[in-house]
Amino acid sequence: MKTYLTMLAVLFSSATALAQAPAPLAQAIAARLQSDETRLADWPQLGRYRSENAALPSPEEAEPRVVFMGDSITDFWGRQRGAFFPGKPYINRGIGGQVTAQMLVRFRPDVINLNPRVVVILGGVNDLAQGFGPTTPIGEIEGNLASMAELARAHGIRVVLASVLPVNDHFLPHPLATHPAEQILALNAWIKSYAKTQHFVYLDDYPALLGEGQTIKRELTIDGLHPNAAGYAVMTPLAQRAIDQALAQ
């Protein structure tokens, strides 16, 4: 609800500014207003994968289909950097910039309806982002992750819950300030504990990418927030091991 109110406030202020601005600025405001209206019309971005989902055939009986649900870290995997499990029946359903509430809303069309054997859930870093709009209280992040995991289990889908990755300020000036390391560690501790008590698989990428001072290694990131090809190369066998463990349950 807070997000919708914030977006409505942005639309109202943009419309007011549009009426008062000179022509070049008015055009820029109009473009921003159109972008905000489009985003408001499909806040969880259910349309992003709608046609791809509709065209996807049902999995074969023995096919170990896996869906990766996440934000830009998932979205970029194999699309902008690295390789995304070539030869494997794995499906990428990441969307850049998403928070866990958006992931939860689209969990049915982008995960459940695809009938995977396993879902890998990687999200939460955008919820923690400070200075880019309202942050999500950590209890709500936990609730959203738990709801996705429980929905999966209710539909016979095995669950892999992934840790949030470390960040650093080596490339961009904001990651550590806007994604405090102590909050990432606290969220990861909860994910690990929840996965253990619920008998889900915990995928711990955090230590594998960790450098000095609770930051992601420079050589594994493009901007201090997203992995590069080398970073995804580190994550890939860890994810495969977690998937194999889930399939064996």
Side-chain angles (χ1 to χ4, degrees):
M1 185 64 179
K2 289 181 180 178
T3 302
Y4 282 112
L5 292 175
T6 300
M7 294 175 71
L8 287 171
V10 169
L11 292 175
F12 177 78
S13 62
S14 297
T16 302
L18 180 62
Q20 301 173 347
L25 182 57
Q27 292 174 359
I29 295 174
R32 173 61 185 272
L33 182 60
Q34 180 61 48
S35 174
D36 290 342
E37 288 176 341
T38 301
R39 183 181 178 190
L40 183 61
D42 186 13
W43 170 73
Q45 299 185 60
L46 294 171
R48 165 74 183 272
Y49 293 110
R50 184 175 286 128
S51 60
E52 292 182 41
N53 291 343
L56 191 68
S58 297
E60 299 291 335
E61 185 175 350
E63 178 185 330
R65 176 175 289 180
V66 177
V67 174
F68 283 68
M69 165 59 79
D71 48 42
S72 58
I73 293 171
T74 299
D75 195 1
F76 293 175
W77 201 339
R79 291 174 176 152
Q80 295 195 19
R81 297 290 188 281
F84 187 75
F85 302 92
K88 297 283 188 179
Y90 296 176
I91 300 169
N92 187 325
R93 287 298 179 262
I95 297 182
Q98 288 216 323
V99 293
T100 52
Q102 292 169 300
M103 292 165 56
L104 176 57
V105 172
R106 64 184 182 88
F107 198 79
R108 182 174 296 277
D110 286 349
V111 178
I112 294 171
N113 291 352
L114 305 186
N115 300 306
R117 297 269 296 279
V118 176
V119 61
V120 179
I121 302 171
L122 171 55
V125 71
N126 291 323
D127 297 78
L128 298 176
Q130 300 177 3
F132 297 94
T135 57
T136 308
I138 194 164
E140 292 184 18
I141 305 171
E142 294 167 358
N144 293 333
L145 292 172
S147 292
M148 285 186 274
E150 290 163 11
L151 278 169
R153 180 165 56 191
H155 287 83
I157 302 167
R158 295 163 192 180
V159 177
V160 174
L161 287 167
S163 63
V164 177
L165 306 184
V167 301
N168 70 33
D169 295 329
H170 294 312
F171 299 88
L172 297 176
H174 64 75
L176 277 174
T178 57
H179 305 77
E182 63 272 16
Q183 291 193 15
I184 293 176
L185 289 170
L187 182 56
N188 284 345
W190 177 87
I191 295 171
K192 181 178 182 179
S193 175
Y194 174 76
K196 181 177 180 180
T197 59
Q198 297 298 316
H199 306 291
F200 298 134
V201 176
Y202 178 57
L203 168 55
D204 195 3
D205 289 314
Y206 187 92
L209 278 69
L210 192 63
E212 297 180 359
Q214 302 297 336
T215 64
I216 190 170
K217 294 177 182 177
R218 294 188 188 197
E219 63 270 23
L220 298 180
T221 179
I222 58 173
D223 57 8
L225 195 60
H226 301 92
N228 57 18
Y232 285 120
V234 171
M235 295 168 63
T236 295
L238 297 176
Q240 187 59 61
R241 191 179 310 154
I243 290 166
D244 292 342
Q245 184 179 345
L247 289 170
Q249 286 181 339

